[in-house]
Amino acid sequence: MEGDRIPWAEDGIYLPERPSFTLDPAFHAGAYYVQEASSMVLEEILKQVVNLKENLLALDLCAAPGGKSTHIQSLLSDGSLLVSNEVIKTRANILAENLTKWGFPNVVITNNDPSHFDRLNVQFDVIVVDAPCSGEGLFRREPEAMNEWSPEAVKLCATRQQRILADIWPALKPGGVLIYSTCTYNSLENEENLEWLSEQLDAEGISINLNDDWGFAETETRGIKGFHAYPHKVKGEGFFIAAVRKNDGFEKKLRKQKKPMNFASKQEIGTVSQWLKEPEQFDFIKHNDLFIALPNQWKEVIHDINSNLYIISEGIDIGRLKGKKLIPNEGLAFSTALDHNQLSTFELNLEEALNYLRKENFNFEAMNNGWNLITYQGLGLGWANRIQQRVNNYYPTNWRIRISS
């Protein structure tokens, strides 16, 4: 894609027009993610407040549909772990689809209330809270949002935001960083919440400096800097962001879990790991009949999360065994850990790829018998299984494209 660079996001670009992403197979393959430019300033904030070269335990608390999680994941080191959470079940499923297609193995997707994270035996190095808000920053893009705005709604949002912050604060380790953001303008949901953080949770500000040429308006509340993006000054929609450090609290110790993990046998590992680039980096467990690969340095932390929270997915969902044959899971097709050289791949052109994504017929005469990774421009789209003169399309039905052109 071509466009002007977004100065505060290294890989971000402004699109000159909005194409039909639905009809671009590369979008469905997780080659890129579309989000609002102002919110991408999260990248610059993260670079200034944490050492991204370290192996961090990070939490994106209000993560759906996945823009900030995919962005954060792209910035974290390969040895880090991101927990991406969404409290609303239907939105959590959308989050899971988008992060599955993003393809990184060091992600856990959860569906929990913020208060539930206090159950964990571990604490996070960094927590991002993109809080539900009154949405004043979206009025230009979505004028109908003005009909839902009221002073009472603003007060309700501010109270809810404080509850979210209070509930998640114990899950942040001492010295850890919390990044707070909204897509609204008013001081009640922004500066006054920073004041509340300072007074009630003893949060302290962090030195942050943004380039003046970018147009963000700096504000300061009790030593905590915040930054507003106003559409007439920043090339983007309305946004607010700030970062604080935790002074007090105690660091939890990881306790032994009561319920042991169900590890795969050596024989099973030999089969389920055959298509991975570096299988030695993973531990393989079974959840019912699904085999999952967990980054071995985080398996105890993931087990702690799994024991105390509701998990949608963790690591790489490899697939199931039928006899001695692997039936691959859809998530494996997108994984950055998948070695395309170890399996049969079948490349499609644009028209064929769109037919595959619609679960319609496409030309498979040259396809090998057995399991094939379906690709478009070398990107994994999903699986198909050829059995003689027929082919079974394993693209998930609930993901399929429903428009013709």
Side-chain angles (χ1 to χ4, degrees):
M1 290 185 178
E2 296 182 359
D4 295 336
R5 309 300 300 185
I6 297 174
W8 48 84
E10 186 174 347
D11 296 319
I13 60 172
Y14 290 105
L15 295 178
E17 59 185 15
R18 185 179 180 88
S20 176
F21 301 111
T22 303
L23 297 177
D24 181 9
F27 175 71
H28 296 277
Y32 61 91
Y33 194 92
V34 184
Q35 62 176 317
E36 209 287 308
S38 297
S39 66
M40 293 186 188
V41 78
L42 171 64
E43 175 174 328
E44 181 62 27
I45 302 294
L46 274 171
K47 288 178 176 178
Q48 293 192 33
V49 300
V50 296
N51 185 353
L52 292 171
K53 294 181 180 179
E54 294 182 354
N55 294 339
L56 302 172
L57 179 59
L59 169 64
D60 186 6
L61 184 66
C62 311
K68 287 184 176 59
S69 282
T70 53
H71 198 175
I72 294 166
Q73 185 58 56
S74 299
L75 298 169
L76 294 175
S77 68
D78 291 340
S80 295
L81 181 70
L82 173 66
V83 178
S84 185
N85 179 74
E86 173 56 45
V87 66
I88 301 172
K89 177 66 174 177
T90 53
R91 287 171 56 81
N93 291 332
I94 297 170
L95 173 68
E97 177 183 343
N98 287 329
L99 282 179
T100 295
K101 291 177 177 179
W102 203 241
F104 284 80
N106 49 337
V107 178
V108 177
I109 304 169
T110 58
N111 174 213
N112 289 268
D113 185 81
S115 62
H116 297 169
F117 285 84
D118 194 31
R119 302 170 184 170
L120 299 179
N121 297 313
V122 292
Q123 292 171 299
F124 293 88
D125 299 293
V126 58
I127 297 176
V128 175
V129 180
D130 186 36
C133 68
S134 57
E136 295 161 349
L138 303 178
F139 287 176
R140 184 177 69 162
R141 191 180 71 191
E142 302 173 11
E144 64 275 9
M146 287 187 282
N147 298 327
E148 300 177 10
W149 187 94
S150 68
E152 291 72 25
V154 170
K155 293 177 183 178
L156 181 64
C157 286
T159 300
R160 179 170 56 180
Q161 290 152 0
Q162 290 179 7
R163 195 272 295 177
I164 291 171
L165 292 168
D167 284 346
I168 203 59
W169 194 250
L172 184 66
K173 68 169 50 174
V177 172
L178 184 142
I179 298 174
Y180 175 75
S181 64
T182 71
C183 57
T184 203
Y185 301 128
N186 69 79
S187 62
L188 196 64
E189 297 178 70
N190 295 322
E191 285 84 356
E192 291 187 39
N193 272 344
L194 297 185
E195 183 175 2
W196 181 88
L197 272 169
S198 175
E199 291 179 347
Q200 301 298 319
L201 301 180
D202 194 27
E204 70 173 6
I206 306 173
S207 178
I208 301 170
N209 295 289
L210 299 185
N211 190 318
D212 291 339
D213 293 337
W214 296 349
F216 288 86
E218 181 180 320
T219 181
E220 188 168 328
T221 307
R222 296 179 66 94
I224 302 173
K225 284 186 179 182
F227 296 89
H228 282 279
Y230 297 114
H232 65 291
K233 292 185 176 182
V234 173
K235 191 178 178 182
E237 301 302 325
F239 189 67
F240 176 83
I241 193 166
V244 298
R245 193 176 304 279
K246 184 176 184 178
N247 280 322
D248 61 351
F250 61 93
E251 190 165 353
K252 296 182 179 180
K253 302 297 182 182
L254 183 63
R255 299 189 299 269
K256 186 177 180 180
Q257 298 297 326
K258 296 179 180 179
K259 186 165 56 176
M261 287 184 280
N262 185 15
F263 287 99
S265 68
K266 185 176 292 187
Q267 183 178 1
E268 290 169 332
I269 292 173
T271 302
V272 301
S273 68
Q274 60 185 317
W275 294 338
L276 298 185
K277 295 175 185 175
E278 299 177 285
E280 67 278 3
Q281 294 187 359
F282 300 94
D283 283 277
F284 296 86
I285 64 170
K286 286 193 292 185
H287 180 68
N288 296 325
D289 61 341
L290 177 65
F291 288 86
I292 301 169
L294 303 180
N296 45 34
Q297 70 187 93
W298 290 105
K299 67 177 184 293
E300 294 295 340
V301 172
I302 294 174
H303 185 46
D304 177 44
I305 296 169
N306 203 342
S307 299
N308 293 289
L309 300 177
Y310 179 74
I311 282 187
I312 294 177
S313 72
E314 52 191 325
I316 309 170
D317 288 346
I318 300 289
R320 293 166 171 80
L321 290 181
K322 186 174 182 180
K324 295 183 179 181
K325 293 185 178 181
L326 175 64
I327 311 299
N329 182 272
E330 60 267 15
L332 184 60
F334 305 94
S335 178
T336 58
L338 183 65
D339 187 349
H340 289 201
N341 296 320
Q342 297 298 319
L343 65 154
S344 178
T345 62
F346 191 65
E347 176 77 6
L348 302 181
N349 61 32
L350 176 59
E351 181 181 357
E352 292 169 336
L354 290 174
N355 283 337
Y356 171 79
L357 293 169
R358 296 186 185 104
K359 293 183 74 74
E360 295 177 356
N361 295 329
F362 59 92
N363 187 347
F364 62 89
E365 287 184 10
M367 182 186 290
N368 293 328
N369 275 311
W371 286 100
N372 287 261
L373 175 68
I374 302 301
T375 61
Y376 172 75
Q377 297 181 349
L379 302 166
L381 283 178
W383 301 100
N385 187 21
R386 180 171 183 177
I387 306 171
Q388 301 305 326
Q389 295 307 308
R390 66 183 177 89
V391 64
N392 294 326
N393 182 339
Y394 277 80
Y395 194 72
T397 301
N398 58 319
W399 290 2
R400 70 181 179 88
I401 295 176
R402 290 175 170 81
I403 61 175
S404 56
S405 61

mmCIF file of all heavy atoms in Angstrom, residues 367-399:
data_model
loop_
_atom_site.group_PDB
_atom_site.id
_atom_site.type_symbol
_atom_site.label_atom_id
_atom_site.label_comp_id
_atom_site.label_asym_id
_atom_site.label_seq_id
_atom_site.Cartn_x
_atom_site.Cartn_y
_atom_site.Cartn_z
ATOM 1 N N MET A 367 -3.649 -29.065 -7.307
ATOM 2 C CA MET A 367 -3.436 -29.241 -5.874
ATOM 3 C C MET A 367 -3.047 -30.673 -5.548
ATOM 4 O O MET A 367 -3.601 -31.622 -6.103
ATOM 5 C CB MET A 367 -4.707 -28.854 -5.100
ATOM 6 C CG MET A 367 -4.576 -28.964 -3.577
ATOM 7 S SD MET A 367 -6.145 -28.654 -2.702
ATOM 8 C CE MET A 367 -6.355 -26.898 -2.982
ATOM 9 N N ASN A 368 -2.095 -30.826 -4.620
ATOM 10 C CA ASN A 368 -1.703 -32.158 -4.162
ATOM 11 C C ASN A 368 -2.814 -32.771 -3.322
ATOM 12 O O ASN A 368 -3.589 -32.065 -2.678
ATOM 13 C CB ASN A 368 -0.431 -32.081 -3.319
ATOM 14 C CG ASN A 368 0.775 -31.670 -4.137
ATOM 15 O OD1 ASN A 368 0.870 -31.990 -5.324
ATOM 16 N ND2 ASN A 368 1.711 -30.971 -3.510
ATOM 17 N N ASN A 369 -2.854 -34.099 -3.301
ATOM 18 C CA ASN A 369 -3.772 -34.789 -2.405
ATOM 19 C C ASN A 369 -3.352 -34.547 -0.957
ATOM 20 O O ASN A 369 -2.172 -34.380 -0.658
ATOM 21 C CB ASN A 369 -3.790 -36.297 -2.683
ATOM 22 C CG ASN A 369 -4.762 -36.656 -3.806
ATOM 23 O OD1 ASN A 369 -5.910 -36.230 -3.794
ATOM 24 N ND2 ASN A 369 -4.293 -37.410 -4.781
ATOM 25 N N GLY A 370 -4.334 -34.524 -0.068
ATOM 26 C CA GLY A 370 -4.054 -34.312 1.350
ATOM 27 C C GLY A 370 -4.209 -32.851 1.735
ATOM 28 O O GLY A 370 -4.820 -32.045 1.021
ATOM 29 N N TRP A 371 -3.641 -32.500 2.897
ATOM 30 C CA TRP A 371 -3.785 -31.150 3.438
ATOM 31 C C TRP A 371 -2.902 -30.169 2.695
ATOM 32 O O TRP A 371 -1.721 -30.432 2.442
ATOM 33 C CB TRP A 371 -3.450 -31.132 4.919
ATOM 34 C CG TRP A 371 -4.536 -31.744 5.747
ATOM 35 C CD1 TRP A 371 -4.560 -33.007 6.263
ATOM 36 C CD2 TRP A 371 -5.764 -31.130 6.124
ATOM 37 N NE1 TRP A 371 -5.729 -33.221 6.936
ATOM 38 C CE2 TRP A 371 -6.490 -32.085 6.875
ATOM 39 C CE3 TRP A 371 -6.325 -29.877 5.919
ATOM 40 C CZ2 TRP A 371 -7.739 -31.807 7.411
ATOM 41 C CZ3 TRP A 371 -7.562 -29.600 6.454
ATOM 42 C CH2 TRP A 371 -8.266 -30.563 7.187
ATOM 43 N N ASN A 372 -3.479 -29.013 2.362
ATOM 44 C CA ASN A 372 -2.758 -27.948 1.689
ATOM 45 C C ASN A 372 -3.008 -26.623 2.401
ATOM 46 O O ASN A 372 -4.152 -26.313 2.766
ATOM 47 C CB ASN A 372 -3.220 -27.800 0.236
ATOM 48 C CG ASN A 372 -2.736 -28.925 -0.653
ATOM 49 O OD1 ASN A 372 -1.751 -28.780 -1.363
ATOM 50 N ND2 ASN A 372 -3.441 -30.053 -0.623
ATOM 51 N N LEU A 373 -1.933 -25.863 2.594
ATOM 52 C CA LEU A 373 -2.067 -24.497 3.076
ATOM 53 C C LEU A 373 -2.409 -23.618 1.883
ATOM 54 O O LEU A 373 -1.652 -23.541 0.915
ATOM 55 C CB LEU A 373 -0.760 -24.016 3.719
ATOM 56 C CG LEU A 373 -0.737 -22.547 4.167
ATOM 57 C CD1 LEU A 373 -1.691 -22.328 5.335
ATOM 58 C CD2 LEU A 373 0.675 -22.109 4.527
ATOM 59 N N ILE A 374 -3.552 -22.969 1.928
ATOM 60 C CA ILE A 374 -3.973 -22.078 0.848
ATOM 61 C C ILE A 374 -3.299 -20.722 1.060
ATOM 62 O O ILE A 374 -3.388 -20.143 2.153
ATOM 63 C CB ILE A 374 -5.501 -21.919 0.831
ATOM 64 C CG1 ILE A 374 -6.178 -23.285 0.662
ATOM 65 C CG2 ILE A 374 -5.923 -20.963 -0.275
ATOM 66 C CD1 ILE A 374 -5.789 -24.015 -0.615
ATOM 67 N N THR A 375 -2.613 -20.221 0.018
ATOM 68 C CA THR A 375 -1.890 -18.965 0.154
ATOM 69 C C THR A 375 -2.305 -17.969 -0.931
ATOM 70 O O THR A 375 -2.771 -18.343 -2.005
ATOM 71 C CB THR A 375 -0.364 -19.183 0.069
ATOM 72 O OG1 THR A 375 -0.039 -19.732 -1.216
ATOM 73 C CG2 THR A 375 0.117 -20.114 1.165
ATOM 74 N N TYR A 376 -2.103 -16.715 -0.613
ATOM 75 C CA TYR A 376 -2.284 -15.619 -1.568
ATOM 76 C C TYR A 376 -1.091 -14.696 -1.398
ATOM 77 O O TYR A 376 -0.830 -14.203 -0.292
ATOM 78 C CB TYR A 376 -3.589 -14.862 -1.287
ATOM 79 C CG TYR A 376 -3.746 -13.601 -2.112
ATOM 80 C CD1 TYR A 376 -4.079 -13.663 -3.463
ATOM 81 C CD2 TYR A 376 -3.558 -12.342 -1.532
ATOM 82 C CE1 TYR A 376 -4.219 -12.501 -4.222
ATOM 83 C CE2 TYR A 376 -3.701 -11.183 -2.287
ATOM 84 C CZ TYR A 376 -4.024 -11.274 -3.625
ATOM 85 O OH TYR A 376 -4.153 -10.127 -4.378
ATOM 86 N N GLN A 377 -0.328 -14.514 -2.460
ATOM 87 C CA GLN A 377 0.917 -13.749 -2.414
ATOM 88 C C GLN A 377 1.829 -14.257 -1.306
ATOM 89 O O GLN A 377 2.503 -13.490 -0.617
ATOM 90 C CB GLN A 377 0.610 -12.250 -2.233
ATOM 91 C CG GLN A 377 -0.178 -11.652 -3.390
ATOM 92 C CD GLN A 377 -0.459 -10.174 -3.219
ATOM 93 O OE1 GLN A 377 -0.256 -9.602 -2.154
ATOM 94 N NE2 GLN A 377 -0.923 -9.537 -4.288
ATOM 95 N N GLY A 378 1.814 -15.574 -1.128
ATOM 96 C CA GLY A 378 2.666 -16.210 -0.136
ATOM 97 C C GLY A 378 2.138 -16.164 1.287
ATOM 98 O O GLY A 378 2.762 -16.707 2.203
ATOM 99 N N LEU A 379 0.991 -15.548 1.503
ATOM 100 C CA LEU A 379 0.396 -15.409 2.838
ATOM 101 C C LEU A 379 -0.609 -16.514 3.085
ATOM 102 O O LEU A 379 -1.452 -16.797 2.234
ATOM 103 C CB LEU A 379 -0.294 -14.048 2.966
ATOM 104 C CG LEU A 379 0.578 -12.812 2.735
ATOM 105 C CD1 LEU A 379 -0.305 -11.581 2.554
ATOM 106 C CD2 LEU A 379 1.542 -12.609 3.895
ATOM 107 N N GLY A 380 -0.550 -17.120 4.259
ATOM 108 C CA GLY A 380 -1.501 -18.167 4.591
ATOM 109 C C GLY A 380 -2.905 -17.625 4.768
ATOM 110 O O GLY A 380 -3.126 -16.638 5.474
ATOM 111 N N LEU A 381 -3.885 -18.289 4.116
ATOM 112 C CA LEU A 381 -5.289 -17.916 4.237
ATOM 113 C C LEU A 381 -6.108 -18.937 5.017
ATOM 114 O O LEU A 381 -7.132 -18.604 5.611
ATOM 115 C CB LEU A 381 -5.925 -17.763 2.851
ATOM 116 C CG LEU A 381 -5.643 -16.507 2.034
ATOM 117 C CD1 LEU A 381 -6.333 -16.593 0.682
ATOM 118 C CD2 LEU A 381 -6.096 -15.260 2.777
ATOM 119 N N GLY A 382 -5.683 -20.192 4.974
ATOM 120 C CA GLY A 382 -6.458 -21.255 5.603
ATOM 121 C C GLY A 382 -6.064 -22.600 5.015
ATOM 122 O O GLY A 382 -5.037 -22.726 4.339
ATOM 123 N N TRP A 383 -6.910 -23.598 5.243
ATOM 124 C CA TRP A 383 -6.598 -24.969 4.844
ATOM 125 C C TRP A 383 -7.626 -25.521 3.873
ATOM 126 O O TRP A 383 -8.791 -25.146 3.895
ATOM 127 C CB TRP A 383 -6.544 -25.876 6.080
ATOM 128 C CG TRP A 383 -5.532 -25.457 7.084
ATOM 129 C CD1 TRP A 383 -5.761 -24.755 8.235
ATOM 130 C CD2 TRP A 383 -4.124 -25.681 7.036
ATOM 131 N NE1 TRP A 383 -4.592 -24.535 8.909
ATOM 132 C CE2 TRP A 383 -3.555 -25.093 8.193
ATOM 133 C CE3 TRP A 383 -3.272 -26.325 6.135
ATOM 134 C CZ2 TRP A 383 -2.198 -25.135 8.470
ATOM 135 C CZ3 TRP A 383 -1.911 -26.368 6.405
ATOM 136 C CH2 TRP A 383 -1.386 -25.779 7.549
ATOM 137 N N ALA A 384 -7.159 -26.443 3.042
ATOM 138 C CA ALA A 384 -8.041 -27.237 2.179
ATOM 139 C C ALA A 384 -7.482 -28.649 2.131
ATOM 140 O O ALA A 384 -6.257 -28.851 2.168
ATOM 141 C CB ALA A 384 -8.124 -26.645 0.775
ATOM 142 N N ASN A 385 -8.360 -29.611 2.057
ATOM 143 C CA ASN A 385 -7.952 -31.021 2.031
ATOM 144 C C ASN A 385 -8.478 -31.655 0.743
ATOM 145 O O ASN A 385 -9.691 -31.756 0.544
ATOM 146 C CB ASN A 385 -8.511 -31.751 3.258
ATOM 147 C CG ASN A 385 -7.980 -33.168 3.354
ATOM 148 O OD1 ASN A 385 -6.938 -33.507 2.787
ATOM 149 N ND2 ASN A 385 -8.699 -34.012 4.089
ATOM 150 N N ARG A 386 -7.545 -32.042 -0.130
ATOM 151 C CA ARG A 386 -7.959 -32.676 -1.381
ATOM 152 C C ARG A 386 -8.008 -34.190 -1.197
ATOM 153 O O ARG A 386 -7.052 -34.810 -0.714
ATOM 154 C CB ARG A 386 -7.015 -32.339 -2.529
ATOM 155 C CG ARG A 386 -7.450 -33.016 -3.834
ATOM 156 C CD ARG A 386 -6.692 -32.565 -5.039
ATOM 157 N NE ARG A 386 -7.213 -33.213 -6.246
ATOM 158 C CZ ARG A 386 -6.791 -32.969 -7.474
ATOM 159 N NH1 ARG A 386 -5.822 -32.067 -7.689
ATOM 160 N NH2 ARG A 386 -7.315 -33.604 -8.507
ATOM 161 N N ILE A 387 -9.123 -34.758 -1.581
ATOM 162 C CA ILE A 387 -9.309 -36.207 -1.560
ATOM 163 C C ILE A 387 -9.726 -36.622 -2.961
ATOM 164 O O ILE A 387 -10.895 -36.490 -3.351
ATOM 165 C CB ILE A 387 -10.373 -36.620 -0.522
ATOM 166 C CG1 ILE A 387 -10.032 -36.053 0.856
ATOM 167 C CG2 ILE A 387 -10.501 -38.138 -0.462
ATOM 168 C CD1 ILE A 387 -11.126 -36.237 1.876
ATOM 169 N N GLN A 388 -8.742 -37.056 -3.744
ATOM 170 C CA GLN A 388 -8.963 -37.436 -5.142
ATOM 171 C C GLN A 388 -9.569 -36.272 -5.925
ATOM 172 O O GLN A 388 -8.960 -35.226 -6.050
ATOM 173 C CB GLN A 388 -9.815 -38.709 -5.223
ATOM 174 C CG GLN A 388 -9.193 -39.909 -4.500
ATOM 175 C CD GLN A 388 -7.782 -40.239 -4.947
ATOM 176 O OE1 GLN A 388 -7.423 -40.075 -6.106
ATOM 177 N NE2 GLN A 388 -6.959 -40.684 -4.014
ATOM 178 N N GLN A 389 -10.802 -36.429 -6.414
ATOM 179 C CA GLN A 389 -11.393 -35.425 -7.297
ATOM 180 C C GLN A 389 -12.315 -34.422 -6.582
ATOM 181 O O GLN A 389 -13.148 -33.769 -7.213
ATOM 182 C CB GLN A 389 -12.160 -36.120 -8.429
ATOM 183 C CG GLN A 389 -11.269 -36.925 -9.346
ATOM 184 C CD GLN A 389 -10.109 -36.087 -9.894
ATOM 185 O OE1 GLN A 389 -10.312 -34.996 -10.435
ATOM 186 N NE2 GLN A 389 -8.877 -36.585 -9.748
ATOM 187 N N ARG A 390 -12.155 -34.312 -5.294
ATOM 188 C CA ARG A 390 -12.910 -33.282 -4.577
ATOM 189 C C ARG A 390 -11.989 -32.616 -3.550
ATOM 190 O O ARG A 390 -10.967 -33.175 -3.164
ATOM 191 C CB ARG A 390 -14.153 -33.860 -3.887
ATOM 192 C CG ARG A 390 -13.871 -34.822 -2.755
ATOM 193 C CD ARG A 390 -15.180 -35.378 -2.198
ATOM 194 N NE ARG A 390 -14.955 -36.360 -1.150
ATOM 195 C CZ ARG A 390 -14.840 -36.076 0.131
ATOM 196 N NH1 ARG A 390 -14.911 -34.814 0.541
ATOM 197 N NH2 ARG A 390 -14.661 -37.028 1.026
ATOM 198 N N VAL A 391 -12.384 -31.428 -3.143
ATOM 199 C CA VAL A 391 -11.582 -30.694 -2.163
ATOM 200 C C VAL A 391 -12.519 -30.140 -1.092
ATOM 201 O O VAL A 391 -13.610 -29.648 -1.398
ATOM 202 C CB VAL A 391 -10.771 -29.559 -2.829
ATOM 203 C CG1 VAL A 391 -11.683 -28.504 -3.432
ATOM 204 C CG2 VAL A 391 -9.798 -28.935 -1.840
ATOM 205 N N ASN A 392 -12.098 -30.257 0.155
ATOM 206 C CA ASN A 392 -12.863 -29.719 1.277
ATOM 207 C C ASN A 392 -12.226 -28.403 1.727
ATOM 208 O O ASN A 392 -11.042 -28.366 2.073
ATOM 209 C CB ASN A 392 -12.888 -30.707 2.437
ATOM 210 C CG ASN A 392 -13.654 -31.975 2.104
ATOM 211 O OD1 ASN A 392 -14.632 -31.932 1.358
ATOM 212 N ND2 ASN A 392 -13.219 -33.112 2.635
ATOM 213 N N ASN A 393 -13.008 -27.344 1.709
ATOM 214 C CA ASN A 393 -12.562 -26.015 2.105
ATOM 215 C C ASN A 393 -12.778 -25.867 3.612
ATOM 216 O O ASN A 393 -13.910 -25.883 4.089
ATOM 217 C CB ASN A 393 -13.351 -24.954 1.330
ATOM 218 C CG ASN A 393 -12.914 -23.534 1.635
ATOM 219 O OD1 ASN A 393 -12.321 -23.258 2.660
ATOM 220 N ND2 ASN A 393 -13.239 -22.620 0.728
ATOM 221 N N TYR A 394 -11.689 -25.690 4.365
ATOM 222 C CA TYR A 394 -11.779 -25.624 5.823
ATOM 223 C C TYR A 394 -11.737 -24.193 6.357
ATOM 224 O O TYR A 394 -11.483 -23.991 7.545
ATOM 225 C CB TYR A 394 -10.662 -26.463 6.455
ATOM 226 C CG TYR A 394 -11.024 -27.930 6.526
ATOM 227 C CD1 TYR A 394 -10.906 -28.743 5.411
ATOM 228 C CD2 TYR A 394 -11.535 -28.485 7.691
ATOM 229 C CE1 TYR A 394 -11.256 -30.082 5.453
ATOM 230 C CE2 TYR A 394 -11.895 -29.826 7.748
ATOM 231 C CZ TYR A 394 -11.754 -30.616 6.625
ATOM 232 O OH TYR A 394 -12.112 -31.948 6.682
ATOM 233 N N TYR A 395 -11.975 -23.217 5.487
ATOM 234 C CA TYR A 395 -12.050 -21.850 5.993
ATOM 235 C C TYR A 395 -13.282 -21.740 6.901
ATOM 236 O O TYR A 395 -14.374 -22.191 6.532
ATOM 237 C CB TYR A 395 -12.166 -20.853 4.836
ATOM 238 C CG TYR A 395 -11.911 -19.421 5.258
ATOM 239 C CD1 TYR A 395 -10.630 -18.994 5.575
ATOM 240 C CD2 TYR A 395 -12.955 -18.503 5.351
ATOM 241 C CE1 TYR A 395 -10.382 -17.691 5.962
ATOM 242 C CE2 TYR A 395 -12.722 -17.188 5.742
ATOM 243 C CZ TYR A 395 -11.432 -16.792 6.049
ATOM 244 O OH TYR A 395 -11.190 -15.494 6.451
ATOM 245 N N PRO A 396 -13.125 -21.150 8.103
ATOM 246 C CA PRO A 396 -14.258 -21.109 9.042
ATOM 247 C C PRO A 396 -15.474 -20.407 8.452
ATOM 248 O O PRO A 396 -15.364 -19.314 7.893
ATOM 249 C CB PRO A 396 -13.694 -20.312 10.236
ATOM 250 C CG PRO A 396 -12.214 -20.528 10.163
ATOM 251 C CD PRO A 396 -11.897 -20.593 8.697
ATOM 252 N N THR A 397 -16.627 -21.042 8.580
ATOM 253 C CA THR A 397 -17.855 -20.504 7.997
ATOM 254 C C THR A 397 -18.186 -19.125 8.541
ATOM 255 O O THR A 397 -18.641 -18.240 7.804
ATOM 256 C CB THR A 397 -19.021 -21.478 8.259
ATOM 257 O OG1 THR A 397 -18.715 -22.742 7.673
ATOM 258 C CG2 THR A 397 -20.315 -20.956 7.664
ATOM 259 N N ASN A 398 -17.951 -18.898 9.829
ATOM 260 C CA ASN A 398 -18.305 -17.606 10.418
ATOM 261 C C ASN A 398 -17.339 -16.496 10.021
ATOM 262 O O ASN A 398 -17.570 -15.328 10.328
ATOM 263 C CB ASN A 398 -18.371 -17.710 11.947
ATOM 264 C CG ASN A 398 -17.077 -18.185 12.556
ATOM 265 O OD1 ASN A 398 -16.419 -19.081 12.026
ATOM 266 N ND2 ASN A 398 -16.695 -17.619 13.687
ATOM 267 N N TRP A 399 -16.235 -16.833 9.319
ATOM 268 C CA TRP A 399 -15.303 -15.823 8.833
ATOM 269 C C TRP A 399 -15.525 -15.501 7.357
ATOM 270 O O TRP A 399 -14.930 -14.564 6.841
ATOM 271 C CB TRP A 399 -13.854 -16.305 8.991
ATOM 272 C CG TRP A 399 -13.351 -16.392 10.385
ATOM 273 C CD1 TRP A 399 -14.020 -16.136 11.537
ATOM 274 C CD2 TRP A 399 -12.029 -16.791 10.773
ATOM 275 N NE1 TRP A 399 -13.220 -16.353 12.629
ATOM 276 C CE2 TRP A 399 -11.981 -16.754 12.185
ATOM 277 C CE3 TRP A 399 -10.887 -17.181 10.068
ATOM 278 C CZ2 TRP A 399 -10.820 -17.091 12.898
ATOM 279 C CZ3 TRP A 399 -9.753 -17.505 10.781
ATOM 280 C CH2 TRP A 399 -9.714 -17.460 12.194
#
